[in-house]
Amino acid sequence: PLINKLIEGERVGIVGVQGRGGIGKTALASHICQELENKKLFPDGIVLIRMRSRTMKDCLDELAVIFNMHELMRNDLSTEDLQRRFIKKIHQKKLLIVLDNIEKGAELDPLLDLFGTAKIAVLMTARLRLTSNISWTELPMLDEAQSYELLLMHCKRLKSKPEAQVKAFEREYFR
């Protein structure tokens, strides 16, 4: 469902993944990126930007470097000028931008407005729903049985004796 919201026809979407710290938001976003990369749905690129404690200008500066738009990295440009010039450069590109670990809602709306004017899909991760303007998916906490099943699945992927690893884990953490 999240992937469908990002690629509905010719339209691109802006979606968010919300949940407690450590629940797996970044891991889910990385998995989605890999799946979309394999399907070649964003031919102009998929970009991950770690947002923690960063401003919109920081984000745009990083995108300017990634897309080799060094002429945009001038201190005399206001954030609004930077936004306008950035969109002019990339408005026809089909991109996915992942904004990971967003903390500040105040800077989010202008950034979403900026991306909404282009063919850019945006996937965000955050601990809280920072805006009501987009579709959010909440990652719930796992109960004990689900946690155990997930651990067992990861152990099996290691191609070792998963039950022995789980028993060792239980001895260590559940004494």
Side-chain angles (χ1 to χ4, degrees):
L2 264 176
I3 292 175
N4 293 342
K5 289 178 184 175
L6 285 170
I7 58 168
E8 294 173 332
E10 280 300 303
R11 278 188 43 233
V12 291
I14 300 175
V15 299
V17 176
Q18 180 255 326
R20 298 177 95 175
I23 194 73
K25 300 176 297 292
T26 301
L28 176 61
S30 295
H31 176 76
I32 289 170
C33 288
Q34 188 61 53
E35 197 167 314
L36 292 171
E37 177 76 23
N38 292 341
K39 293 179 179 182
K40 300 186 183 337
L41 293 172
F42 292 96
D44 296 310
I46 296 175
V47 178
L48 172 67
I49 298 178
R50 305 220 185 266
M51 290 295 293
R52 186 177 187 113
S53 302
R54 297 176 71 199
T55 66
M56 180 169 55
K57 180 140 178 30
D58 295 335
C59 175
L60 291 171
D61 285 345
E62 185 170 340
L63 287 168
V65 170
I66 290 168
F67 292 106
N68 201 22
M69 300 176 195
H70 299 286
E71 71 277 8
L72 298 182
M73 302 213 33
R74 297 179 9 209
N75 289 334
D76 64 326
L77 289 178
S78 69
T79 302
E80 292 76 22
D81 286 337
L82 184 58
Q83 286 175 338
R84 253 191 325 282
R85 291 176 188 218
F86 182 77
I87 283 299
K88 187 176 180 183
K89 291 271 190 182
I90 66 160
H91 78 282
Q92 289 301 316
K93 293 187 181 294
K94 185 129 188 215
L95 301 168
L96 170 62
I97 297 179
V98 180
L99 302 174
D100 184 44
N101 202 12
I102 295 175
E103 294 178 338
K104 300 175 184 174
E107 297 233 338
L108 191 55
D109 287 335
L111 195 59
L112 296 178
D113 290 343
L114 169 71
F115 293 143
T117 63
K119 296 168 92 175
I120 300 173
V122 181
L123 173 60
M124 300 178 296
T125 69
R127 291 184 182 188
L128 303 171
R129 292 177 189 226
L130 299 173
T131 180
S132 59
N133 299 340
I134 65 163
S135 173
W136 288 93
T137 297
E138 183 174 356
L139 292 185
M141 292 292 292
L142 300 178
D143 63 28
E144 188 175 329
Q146 292 168 322
S147 298
Y148 183 83
E149 193 63 37
L150 182 62
L151 177 63
L152 190 59
M153 180 184 73
H154 283 293
C155 291
K156 285 179 182 177
R157 282 184 32 211
L158 295 174
K159 296 186 181 192
S160 61
K161 297 182 180 177
E163 289 78 14
Q165 288 184 4
V166 170
K167 292 294 181 200
F169 180 81
E170 287 175 334
R171 280 193 304 276
E172 180 69 26
Y173 295 101
F174 297 106
R175 299 180 212 184

